[in-house]
Amino acid sequence: MVKQQQRMDRPWILEAVPLMVVALITAHVLALVYWIYRLATEKQPQRRKAH
């Protein structure tokens, strides 16, 4: 009963912090994957030999 009471006394923001950290990490990983995909699939300009 005492442990349950201590858990209820914690502010809600502390309960949300781990979820926010996971969400931020997920967003950054997805952005990195998308950035690498865009770099890999963009058309490179044709280079001409200028001799």
Side-chain angles (χ1 to χ4, degrees):
M1 183 72 178
V2 174
K3 285 186 178 182
Q4 186 178 9
Q5 183 63 31
Q6 287 176 347
R7 179 164 165 73
M8 299 302 281
D9 290 341
R10 289 175 57 184
W12 65 269
I13 193 75
L14 291 179
E15 300 288 334
V17 168
L19 181 61
M20 292 294 287
V21 169
V22 170
L24 284 172
I25 290 171
T26 302
H28 280 84
V29 168
L30 289 175
L32 180 64
V33 169
Y34 177 69
W35 178 64
I36 291 171
Y37 168 77
R38 289 288 307 262
L39 283 177
T41 58
E42 74 179 11
K43 286 191 173 186
Q44 299 292 328
Q46 293 293 325
R47 290 196 276 167
R48 299 180 188 172
K49 292 183 179 179
H51 282 71

